[in-house]
């Protein structure tokens, strides 16, 4: 149980790292707006996924687990790719900052 708690506590900050990295790359005067938009869209998307999964359990109860697993796997793959492209783009921008010196 202790290992699960430590793993859960260690995974929490990693989920918000791309979010904070992106918001830190936005100009200061737009950060609050960017954070608000990201929070709102993530909440909306989360509600839609919950509605979809709940509807799956009603409509196709026997296959719902497999469809949810496939959807979650696809979502994690998209998230990993988007995070990779974010870090790559921010890395390229940071190297261009030092070209002038």
């Amino acid at each position: 149980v202790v290992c699960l708690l430590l793993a859960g506590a260690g995974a929490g900050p990693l989920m918000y790292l791309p979010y904070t990295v992106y918001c830190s790359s936005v100009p200061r005067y737009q950060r609050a707006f960017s954070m608000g938009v990201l929070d709102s869209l993530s909440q909306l998307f989360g509600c839609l996924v919950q509605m979809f999964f709940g509807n799956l359990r009603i409509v196709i109860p026997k296959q719902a687990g497999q469809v949810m697993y496939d959807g979650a796997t696809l979502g994690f793959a998209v998230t990993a790719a988007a995070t990779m492209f974010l870090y790559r783009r921010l890395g390229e921008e940071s190297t261009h900052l030092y070209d002038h010196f």
Side-chain angles (χ1 to χ4, degrees):
V1 173
V2 173
C3 289
L4 287 174
L5 289 174
L6 291 175
L14 294 177
M15 292 188 307
Y16 293 102
L17 188 59
Y19 167 80
T20 54
V21 166
Y22 171 75
C23 287
S24 69
S25 70
V26 174
R28 286 191 100 124
Y29 61 91
Q30 291 181 345
R31 283 187 189 156
F33 176 76
S34 296
M35 291 177 93
V37 169
L38 287 176
D39 281 338
S40 300
L41 289 176
S42 67
Q43 289 295 322
L44 174 67
F45 186 71
C47 289
L48 292 175
V49 167
Q50 285 183 348
M51 286 174 39
F52 176 68
F53 284 175
N55 196 26
L56 280 176
R57 288 179 157 189
I58 295 169
V59 175
I60 51 170
K62 294 186 186 219
Q63 294 91 6
Q66 183 63 41
V67 174
M68 286 188 249
Y69 179 79
D70 292 343
T73 303
L74 178 64
F76 287 132
V78 168
T79 301
T83 303
M84 180 188 68
F85 287 124
L86 171 68
Y87 287 142
R88 181 183 295 171
R89 187 191 74 172
L90 292 176
E92 289 171 0
E93 288 177 5
S94 67
T95 58
H96 293 302
L97 291 175
Y98 299 111
D99 289 343
H100 301 292
F101 294 111

